[in-house]
Amino acid sequence: MTPHLTVSSHPAHHLLDALPPSHNRRRRRRRFCPPRARASPPSSVRCCAAAAAAVPQPPRALEPPAKTRVFVVSDLHTDYQENMDWVRRLAVGVGSAPGAGEGVNALVVAGDVAETRDNFARTMGALRDQFDAVFYVPGNHDLWLRREGGRYMDSVEKLNALLDACSELGVDTGPKTIGDLGIIPLFSWYHKSFDKEKDLTSVRVPSLEMACKDFHACKWPSDLGSDDEALALYFDQLNDKYNDAIEEVKKNSKELLTFSHFVPRQELCPEKRMLFYPNLPKLIGSDYLERRLRAIHNSAEAGAACHVFGHTHFCWDSVVDDIRYVQAPLAYPRERKRRMNGGEGWLPFCVYSDGFNPEIYPAIWSDYYNKNRREPENTQLAPWVAHYFRKYY
């Protein structure tokens, strides 16, 4: 995921969690909203998971099985045994073929699979056994070295080892067309200049180095510093070797799905005043990533472009400037137990079934921003954040 803050040991809060003002803590059963025509909200960001009441529908005739289904998930974190157990149970009813000897089921894994190379290989091997195709991009946890016993000189060497493991397992890390859908992995890393919104000055916020274990658990060559855009540029340039393949996929596909681990737009994260760690936006995203995916989707028709991301563990489903953005994280066990925007019953999310799925899950934060204008200039702490800082600082 994103950073792990060590400044508090209180079990009830992860410092990156946040709750929208309208959200109460009573758990409710997750539902899917039926597709319906509706006017777009006035802002440029609209959430596809509107919380309108379901309209009764007549019984549908049985339809033939979809020939191509694509499921998405991020942040598996299978170093937790509960999460590894979830992966191993996934074969029942999800990865099985959609028809007798027909069709393709694919899984997109948007990074943060496991902290060690061995757990990574076990996880991806299990998923590859369950799905006809599996796609992957690396996340920050995947490149941590602290539990590798000196196996790798630096995180770049570990990255190459993970890509070699993917090749051996038959996991795709490059562009490919499945049915009518082009799937394009995008390598990325974050940089603090991604954050363009006003900082909070009313509270003492821990430094990035204190908040984020990446600064200690990753190790980089001397020319790839974490204090500027060098790492973000390095990872973005890893995509250049696929330029010809991307053009070929675009030519042969009716719809496109790109995916990354990191966040491409700041609007896909709650405002700083809503976050227990207000400087989170400096650790999550890349301007290079957004520019690249926009270039890929530049000629896509309405409803034919989707980008999947991970990292923040906030479920998200919204459309920004004609591209749909989805995050569907498994996240940590403690997050699933505490929050409704995480859970085992609805993942992996089927985003595509012979076409992008119009039945999009409600997600707390994208629902909130569908109804409320983003106010980055407002630095008044949300009540739960103010309470947190009063209690621990």
Side-chain angles (χ1 to χ4, degrees):
M1 180 185 162
T2 41
H4 295 253
L5 294 167
T6 56
V7 293
S8 171
S9 60
H10 191 275
H13 291 295
H14 190 284
L15 291 183
L16 304 181
D17 295 343
L19 294 171
S22 61
H23 174 56
N24 62 47
R25 292 183 180 271
R26 179 174 60 85
R27 297 180 68 87
R28 61 179 173 86
R29 187 174 66 180
R30 182 166 296 279
R31 62 177 174 80
F32 288 89
C33 296
R36 63 186 183 91
R38 60 184 182 275
S40 297
S43 71
S44 63
V45 181
R46 60 183 176 85
C47 175
C48 297
V55 178
Q57 299 290 326
R60 296 183 186 178
L62 292 177
E63 298 178 355
K67 291 186 177 180
T68 303
R69 295 192 302 173
V70 178
F71 298 84
V72 299
V73 70
S74 71
D75 302 279
L76 292 172
H77 294 291
T78 56
D79 300 294
Y80 292 92
Q81 187 59 49
E82 299 98 313
N83 288 17
M84 182 65 84
D85 292 342
W86 181 88
V87 167
R88 289 170 175 158
R89 291 195 302 268
L90 197 57
V92 181
V94 176
S96 54
E102 299 179 358
V104 174
N105 274 338
L107 177 68
V108 165
V109 181
D112 273 8
V113 172
E115 185 174 334
T116 69
R117 190 266 181 202
D118 293 341
N119 276 346
F120 174 87
R122 278 190 287 269
T123 303
M124 300 306 285
L127 293 173
R128 189 65 185 87
D129 289 342
Q130 297 160 16
F131 288 86
D132 301 300
V134 175
F135 293 81
Y136 164 78
V137 290
N140 49 316
H141 280 236
D142 299 325
L143 302 182
W144 285 8
L145 300 178
R146 62 178 187 169
R147 295 179 181 171
E148 294 292 5
R151 181 188 297 185
Y152 305 109
M153 180 174 62
D154 56 35
S155 293
V156 171
E157 184 179 358
K158 185 177 181 183
L159 169 63
N160 291 328
L162 297 183
L163 297 179
D164 288 344
C166 286
S167 180
E168 294 168 6
L169 293 166
V171 172
D172 290 292
T173 57
K176 189 174 182 180
T177 300
I178 294 182
D180 291 328
L181 178 67
I183 301 178
I184 302 173
L186 293 178
F187 293 83
S188 61
W189 197 264
Y190 57 83
H191 55 92
K192 62 184 178 182
S193 57
F194 172 78
D195 175 21
K196 308 296 192 300
E197 296 182 352
K198 188 174 182 179
D199 284 333
L200 302 187
T201 57
S202 60
V203 292
R204 182 175 62 86
V205 180
S207 68
L208 301 182
E209 291 77 11
M210 184 177 181
C212 184
K213 287 186 179 177
D214 294 346
F215 290 94
H216 313 288
C218 291
K219 181 181 178 182
W220 303 105
S222 59
D223 59 332
L224 296 179
S226 300
D227 57 349
D228 55 22
E229 298 182 1
L231 266 176
L233 179 60
Y234 171 80
F235 274 86
D236 180 68
Q237 290 175 340
L238 293 178
N239 299 300
D240 289 343
K241 70 177 182 179
Y242 295 113
N243 285 343
D244 291 342
I246 288 172
E247 291 305 313
E248 188 68 19
V249 163
K250 289 173 65 175
K251 183 172 65 175
N252 295 324
S253 305
K254 294 180 180 178
E255 295 147 311
L256 292 175
L257 185 153
T258 53
F259 72 101
S260 62
H261 179 64
F262 295 101
V263 181
R265 298 180 70 111
Q266 193 162 354
E267 302 101 304
L268 305 176
C269 179
E271 297 156 75
K272 295 176 182 178
R273 62 192 176 94
M274 307 287 195
L275 299 167
F276 288 118
Y277 185 59
N279 282 342
L280 175 63
K282 302 180 192 302
L283 298 165
I284 63 171
S286 168
D287 295 327
Y288 299 106
L289 171 62
E290 174 69 4
R291 286 197 291 268
R292 189 172 288 270
L293 74 88
R294 284 274 155 190
I296 291 171
H297 290 292
N298 61 356
S299 59
E301 298 180 0
C306 179
H307 184 81
V308 175
F309 63 99
H311 191 53
T312 61
H313 293 198
F314 295 126
C315 289
W316 208 280
D317 202 336
S318 64
V319 174
V320 186
D321 297 336
D322 298 320
I323 295 179
R324 177 179 167 191
Y325 293 88
V326 173
Q327 182 174 192
L330 180 61
Y332 300 131
R334 66 178 179 271
E335 292 174 315
R336 296 199 301 279
K337 293 172 183 175
R338 189 174 70 250
R339 298 193 314 205
M340 56 178 274
N341 64 331
E344 297 178 278
W346 52 275
L347 289 173
F349 177 60
C350 184
V351 73
Y352 186 92
S353 182
D354 289 346
F356 284 117
N357 191 347
E359 299 189 54
I360 300 171
Y361 61 84
I364 295 174
W365 277 111
S366 47
D367 282 354
Y368 172 76
Y369 283 110
N370 182 50
K371 302 171 185 175
N372 300 275
R373 183 172 60 89
R374 191 176 184 90
E375 298 178 299
E377 294 300 312
N378 182 355
T379 59
Q380 182 177 356
L381 298 180
W384 59 90
V385 178
H387 173 77
Y388 172 82
F389 275 95
R390 283 195 302 270
K391 186 172 183 180
Y392 293 107
Y393 294 90

